[in-house]
Coordinates of all heavy atoms in Angstrom, one line a residue:
F1 N 11.7 4.6 3.8 CA 12.7 4.1 2.8 C 11.9 3.6 1.6 O 12.3 4.0 0.4 CB 13.6 2.9 3.4 CG 14.5 2.4 2.4 CD1 15.6 3.0 2.0 CD2 14.1 1.2 1.9 CE1 16.4 2.4 1.0 CE2 15.0 0.4 1.0 CZ 16.1 1.1 0.5
L2 N 10.9 2.8 1.8 CA 10.1 2.3 0.6 C 9.4 3.5 -0.1 O 9.4 3.5 -1.4 CB 9.0 1.4 1.1 CG 9.6 0.1 1.6 CD1 8.4 -0.8 2.2 CD2 10.3 -0.8 0.6
I3 N 8.9 4.5 0.6 CA 8.3 5.6 -0.1 C 9.3 6.4 -0.9 O 9.1 6.8 -2.0 CB 7.7 6.5 1.0 CG1 6.6 5.9 1.6 CG2 7.3 7.9 0.3 CD1 6.0 6.8 2.9
Q4 N 10.6 6.5 -0.4 CA 11.6 7.3 -1.1 C 12.0 6.4 -2.4 O 12.1 6.9 -3.5 CB 12.8 7.5 -0.3 CG 13.9 8.4 -1.0 CD 15.1 8.6 0.0 OE1 15.2 8.0 0.9 NE2 15.9 9.6 -0.4
V5 N 12.2 5.1 -2.3 CA 12.8 4.3 -3.3 C 11.7 4.2 -4.4 O 12.1 4.3 -5.6 CB 13.1 2.9 -2.8 CG1 13.5 1.9 -3.9 CG2 14.4 3.0 -1.9
H6 N 10.5 4.1 -4.1 CA 9.5 3.8 -5.2 C 8.7 5.1 -5.5 O 7.8 5.1 -6.2 CB 8.5 2.9 -4.7 CG 9.0 1.5 -4.4 ND1 9.4 0.6 -5.4 CD2 9.3 0.8 -3.2 CE1 9.9 -0.5 -4.9 NE2 9.8 -0.5 -3.6
H7 N 9.2 6.3 -4.9 CA 8.6 7.6 -5.4 C 7.1 7.6 -5.2 O 6.3 8.0 -6.0 CB 9.0 7.9 -6.8 CG 10.4 7.9 -7.1 ND1 11.4 8.9 -6.5 CD2 11.2 7.0 -7.7 CE1 12.6 8.6 -7.0 NE2 12.5 7.4 -7.7
V8 N 6.6 7.1 -4.0 CA 5.2 7.2 -3.7 C 4.8 8.6 -3.3 O 5.5 9.1 -2.5 CB 4.9 6.1 -2.7 CG1 3.4 6.1 -2.4 CG2 5.4 4.7 -3.1
V9 N 3.7 9.0 -3.9 CA 3.1 10.3 -3.5 C 1.7 10.2 -3.2 O 1.0 9.3 -3.6 CB 3.3 11.3 -4.8 CG1 4.8 11.6 -5.0 CG2 2.6 10.8 -6.0
P10 N 1.1 11.1 -2.4 CA -0.3 10.9 -2.1 C -1.2 11.1 -3.2 O -0.9 11.8 -4.2 CB -0.4 12.2 -1.1 CG 0.9 12.5 -0.7 CD 1.8 12.2 -1.7
R11 N -2.2 10.3 -3.3 CA -3.3 10.4 -4.3 C -4.7 10.4 -3.6 O -4.8 9.9 -2.5 CB -3.1 9.1 -5.1 CG -2.0 9.1 -6.2 CD -2.1 8.1 -7.2 NE -2.2 6.7 -6.7 CZ -3.0 5.9 -7.2 NH1 -3.8 6.0 -8.2 NH2 -3.0 4.6 -6.8
G12 N -5.6 11.0 -4.3 CA -6.9 11.1 -3.7 C -7.6 9.7 -3.4 O -7.6 8.8 -4.3
N13 N -8.2 9.6 -2.2 CA -8.9 8.5 -1.7 C -7.9 7.1 -1.7 O -8.5 6.1 -1.6 CB -10.0 8.2 -2.6 CG -11.0 9.3 -2.5 OD1 -11.2 9.9 -1.5 ND2 -11.6 9.7 -3.7
V14 N -6.7 7.2 -1.7 CA -5.8 6.0 -1.7 C -4.6 6.5 -0.7 O -3.8 7.4 -1.0 CB -5.1 5.7 -3.1 CG1 -4.3 4.4 -2.9 CG2 -6.3 5.4 -4.1
T15 N -4.5 5.8 0.4 CA -3.5 6.2 1.3 C -2.1 5.6 0.8 O -2.0 4.8 0.0 CB -3.8 5.4 2.7 OG1 -3.6 4.0 2.5 CG2 -5.1 5.8 3.3
I16 N -1.0 6.2 1.5 CA 0.3 5.8 1.2 C 0.5 4.3 1.4 O 1.1 3.6 0.7 CB 1.3 6.6 1.9 CG1 1.3 8.1 1.6 CG2 2.7 6.1 1.8 CD1 1.8 8.4 0.0
L17 N 0.0 3.9 2.5 CA 0.3 2.5 2.9 C -0.5 1.6 1.9 O 0.1 0.4 1.6 CB -0.4 2.1 4.3 CG 0.4 2.7 5.5 CD1 -0.2 2.4 6.8 CD2 1.8 2.0 5.4
A18 N -1.7 1.9 1.5 CA -2.4 1.1 0.5 C -1.6 1.0 -0.9 O -1.6 -0.1 -1.5 CB -3.8 1.7 0.2
Q19 N -1.0 2.1 -1.3 CA 0.0 2.1 -2.5 C 1.1 1.1 -2.3 O 1.6 0.5 -3.2 CB 0.3 3.5 -2.8 CG -0.8 4.5 -3.2 CD -0.3 5.9 -3.6 OE1 0.6 6.0 -4.5 NE2 -0.7 6.9 -2.9
L20 N 1.7 1.2 -1.1 CA 2.9 0.4 -0.8 C 2.4 -1.0 -0.9 O 3.2 -1.9 -1.4 CB 3.6 0.7 0.5 CG 4.3 2.1 0.6 CD1 4.8 2.3 1.9 CD2 5.5 2.2 -0.4
T21 N 1.3 -1.4 -0.3 CA 0.8 -2.7 -0.2 C 0.5 -3.3 -1.6 O 0.9 -4.4 -2.0 CB -0.4 -2.8 0.7 OG1 -0.2 -2.3 1.9 CG2 -0.9 -4.2 0.9
A22 N -0.2 -2.3 -2.4 CA -0.4 -2.8 -3.8 C 0.8 -3.0 -4.5 O 0.8 -4.0 -5.4 CB -1.3 -1.8 -4.5
G23 N 1.9 -2.2 -4.4 CA 3.1 -2.4 -5.0 C 3.8 -3.8 -4.6 O 4.5 -4.4 -5.4
A24 N 3.6 -4.1 -3.4 CA 4.3 -5.4 -2.9 C 3.5 -6.6 -3.2 O 4.1 -7.6 -3.5 CB 4.4 -5.2 -1.4
F25 N 2.2 -6.7 -3.1 CA 1.4 -7.8 -3.1 C 0.4 -7.8 -4.3 O -0.2 -8.8 -4.6 CB 0.6 -8.1 -1.9 CG 1.4 -8.1 -0.5 CD1 1.1 -7.2 0.5 CD2 2.4 -9.0 -0.5 CE1 1.9 -7.2 1.6 CE2 3.2 -9.1 0.7 CZ 2.9 -8.2 1.6
G26 N 0.3 -6.8 -5.0 CA -0.8 -6.6 -6.0 C -2.1 -6.2 -5.4 O -2.1 -5.8 -4.1
T27 N -3.1 -6.5 -6.1 CA -4.5 -6.1 -5.5 C -5.3 -7.4 -5.3 O -6.5 -7.2 -5.2 CB -5.3 -5.3 -6.6 OG1 -5.3 -5.8 -7.8 CG2 -4.5 -3.9 -6.7
G28 N -4.6 -8.5 -5.0 CA -5.2 -9.7 -4.7 C -5.7 -9.8 -3.2 O -5.8 -8.8 -2.5
W29 N -5.9 -11.1 -2.7 CA -6.3 -11.3 -1.4 C -5.3 -10.7 -0.3 O -5.7 -10.2 0.8 CB -6.5 -12.7 -1.1 CG -5.3 -13.6 -1.2 CD1 -4.8 -14.2 -2.2 CD2 -4.4 -13.8 -0.1 NE1 -3.7 -15.0 -2.0 CE2 -3.4 -14.8 -0.6 CE3 -4.3 -13.5 1.3 CZ2 -2.3 -15.2 0.0 CZ3 -3.3 -14.0 1.9 CH2 -2.3 -14.9 1.4
A30 N -3.9 -10.7 -0.6 CA -3.0 -10.3 0.3 C -3.2 -8.7 0.6 O -2.9 -8.2 1.7 CB -1.6 -10.6 -0.2
F31 N -3.6 -8.0 -0.5 CA -3.8 -6.6 -0.4 C -5.0 -6.3 0.7 O -4.7 -5.3 1.4 CB -4.2 -6.0 -1.8 CG -4.6 -4.7 -1.7 CD1 -3.6 -3.6 -1.8 CD2 -6.0 -4.2 -1.8 CE1 -4.0 -2.2 -1.7 CE2 -6.4 -3.0 -1.8 CZ -5.4 -1.9 -1.8
Y32 N -6.0 -7.1 0.4 CA -7.1 -6.8 1.4 C -6.8 -7.3 2.7 O -7.2 -6.6 3.8 CB -8.4 -7.5 0.8 CG -8.8 -6.9 -0.4 CD1 -8.6 -7.6 -1.6 CD2 -9.6 -5.7 -0.4 CE1 -9.0 -6.8 -2.9 CE2 -10.1 -5.1 -1.6 CZ -9.8 -5.7 -2.7 OH -10.2 -5.1 -4.0
V33 N -6.2 -8.3 3.0 CA -5.8 -8.8 4.3 C -4.8 -7.7 4.9 O -5.1 -7.3 6.2 CB -4.9 -10.1 4.2 CG1 -4.3 -10.5 5.5 CG2 -5.9 -11.2 3.8
S34 N -3.9 -7.2 4.3 CA -3.0 -6.1 4.8 C -3.8 -5.0 5.2 O -3.5 -4.3 6.3 CB -1.9 -5.8 3.8 OG -1.2 -6.9 3.5
N35 N -4.7 -4.5 4.4 CA -5.5 -3.3 4.7 C -6.5 -3.5 5.8 O -6.7 -2.6 6.7 CB -6.3 -2.8 3.5 CG -5.4 -2.0 2.5 OD1 -5.1 -0.8 2.7 ND2 -4.8 -2.7 1.5
I36 N -7.0 -4.8 5.9 CA -7.9 -5.0 7.1 C -7.1 -5.0 8.3 O -7.5 -4.6 9.3 CB -8.6 -6.4 6.8 CG1 -9.6 -6.3 5.7 CG2 -9.2 -6.9 8.2 CD1 -10.2 -7.6 5.3
A37 N -5.8 -5.5 8.3 CA -4.9 -5.5 9.4 C -4.6 -4.2 9.9 O -4.7 -3.8 11.1 CB -3.7 -6.2 9.1
V38 N -4.4 -3.2 8.9 CA -4.1 -1.8 9.3 C -5.4 -1.3 9.9 O -5.3 -0.5 10.9 CB -3.7 -1.0 7.9 CG1 -3.8 0.5 8.3 CG2 -2.5 -1.5 7.5
T39 N -6.6 -1.5 9.4 CA -7.9 -1.1 10.0 C -8.1 -1.5 11.4 O -8.4 -0.7 12.3 CB -9.1 -1.6 9.2 OG1 -8.9 -1.1 7.8 CG2 -10.4 -1.0 9.8
M40 N -7.6 -2.8 11.8 CA -7.6 -3.3 13.1 C -6.7 -2.6 14.0 O -7.0 -2.3 15.2 CB -7.4 -4.8 13.1 CG -8.6 -5.6 12.3 SD -8.1 -7.4 12.2 CE -8.2 -7.8 14.0

């Protein structure tokens, strides 16, 4: 649903989840915490 609403498309070296996270939290500490959680 979020991908459709925000028209997120694949980009080189940036995952869809990373783009959604950046759109929701920006690129601050919350962005890195979320991506580390995905890695775990």
Side-chain angles (χ1 to χ4, degrees):
F1 174 76
L2 291 175
I3 291 173
Q4 183 180 21
V5 170
H6 297 287
H7 305 288
V8 181
V9 295
R11 288 196 296 140
N13 299 323
V14 182
T15 65
I16 294 292
L17 286 179
Q19 295 182 56
L20 291 175
T21 305
F25 304 122
T27 56
W29 63 269
F31 172 81
Y32 291 101
V33 169
S34 299
N35 281 277
I36 291 174
V38 171
T39 303
M40 293 177 64

